[in-house]
Amino acid sequence: MYAPERQQEILRLARDGGRVDVVSLAEEFQVTAETIRRDLKALDRAGMVRRVHGGAIPVGRLDFEPDLAERETAAADEKDRIAKAALAELPSEGTMILDAGTTVAKMAAALPLEASLTVVTHSLPIAARLADHPGIQLHLIGGRVRHRTRAAVDAWALRAYGEIRADVLFVAANGFSAEHGLTTPDLAEAAVKRAAVAAARRVVLIADSSKHGQEHFARFGDLSDVDLLITDSGLSPEDAVAIERGGTEVVRA
């Protein structure tokens, strides 16, 4: 079977099943895992699938949301660089909101011990990371906890964010673009993100470049709501310039 024929069949399997994984495809077509990864890369570049950890999903599955463990391993090097760059945006002895997200969690883990800040978060993993930090006054937002993201959502969380005003929000998104704004798969999570954006004087989006151009089911804001985007060098200089024309500063770590 030639590569184009195999890729066409991979695309069919992805559309029929909702996702495909490298190991199963290698067995199915009797080729190496590396060959399958090249096929998925070609399909991703063609805009037919979106690569995720261990496989791919067909473009168009706007409600797809990888679990926490899968997201933690995806684009790990890029997320480390983004998290390090985000530390330069910490307020001086101020108040910040940390959204639920794996890159935000990496940033939280990297907070220097000498930092003296008030931190508000609705993310259980981030709260657990910061609970013993000597310089952090930690406020944990409550609500129904979503198993997939370990984030609090619904009325309690919305009400709490409506009662505060923070210096800066570090927010995550599953997708961002000038055309479709900031998106995530879940409506309840989108509502909390929207409330957090409204509660902050400054909004910093930290998202790896694979999220650019992605569109998901629930929209929670415009890219123009973001003061600063911190991403990786996978975002092209041309795309960075286009985003900055809309009023959002861009840092490519």
Side-chain angles (χ1 to χ4, degrees):
M1 180 181 288
Y2 293 110
E5 296 174 306
R6 187 175 58 248
Q7 290 165 14
Q8 187 64 34
E9 184 63 12
I10 289 172
L11 180 59
R12 184 190 66 78
L13 291 171
R15 286 173 172 169
D16 289 348
R19 71 172 291 157
V20 289
D21 67 88
V22 171
V23 174
S24 297
L25 290 174
E27 293 175 356
E28 172 89 15
F29 296 104
Q30 293 295 293
V31 295
T32 65
E34 186 56 37
T35 296
I36 294 298
R37 291 190 185 97
R38 286 197 294 269
D39 288 335
L40 295 179
K41 187 174 183 180
L43 289 169
D44 183 278
R45 284 176 173 171
M48 307 304 290
V49 303
R50 180 160 66 89
R51 296 178 70 189
V52 297
H53 180 66
I57 60 170
V59 169
R61 285 289 306 279
L62 299 184
D63 60 340
F64 176 80
E65 185 175 16
D67 61 27
L68 195 59
E70 186 172 314
R71 288 187 292 118
E72 284 177 341
T73 57
D77 292 341
E78 291 85 349
K79 289 177 179 180
D80 286 338
R81 297 200 305 272
I82 292 166
K84 183 178 179 180
L87 294 178
E89 302 302 319
L90 294 178
S92 177
E93 298 184 349
T95 304
M96 66 178 180
I97 299 170
L98 296 182
D99 183 26
T102 53
T103 310
V104 183
K106 284 178 177 287
M107 175 195 167
L111 286 177
L113 288 178
E114 63 271 19
S116 179
L117 296 162
T118 297
V119 175
V120 181
T121 186
H122 57 284
S123 165
L124 294 186
I126 289 175
R129 288 174 187 265
L130 295 179
D132 295 324
H133 191 293
I136 298 298
Q137 293 187 34
L138 179 64
H139 297 261
L140 177 59
I141 299 289
R144 175 176 65 87
V145 176
R146 291 193 67 227
H147 294 294
R148 188 163 289 275
T149 59
R150 308 296 193 270
V153 296
D154 294 343
W156 286 359
L158 296 176
R159 185 164 60 246
Y161 276 127
E163 294 174 351
I164 68 169
R165 190 71 172 156
D167 293 308
V168 61
L169 160 69
F170 293 91
V171 66
N174 296 74
F176 68 92
S177 69
E179 297 79 13
H180 306 298
L182 311 173
T183 59
T184 195
D186 185 76
L187 284 169
E189 197 127 6
V192 174
K193 290 175 182 288
R194 191 180 303 114
V197 168
R201 296 183 182 90
R202 177 172 167 82
V203 177
V204 178
L205 172 63
I206 54 177
D208 66 83
S209 61
S210 70
K211 311 291 178 56
H212 180 244
Q214 297 292 331
E215 182 184 3
H216 291 266
F217 178 63
R219 190 172 182 278
F220 64 91
D222 295 318
L223 196 52
S224 60
D225 295 328
V226 174
D227 297 289
L228 171 65
L229 164 64
I230 303 177
T231 187
D232 58 82
S233 56
L235 183 74
S236 71
E238 295 78 13
D239 286 333
V241 168
I243 290 171
E244 290 190 321
R245 286 198 193 103
T248 301
E249 183 185 355
V250 178
V251 169
R252 297 161 65 242

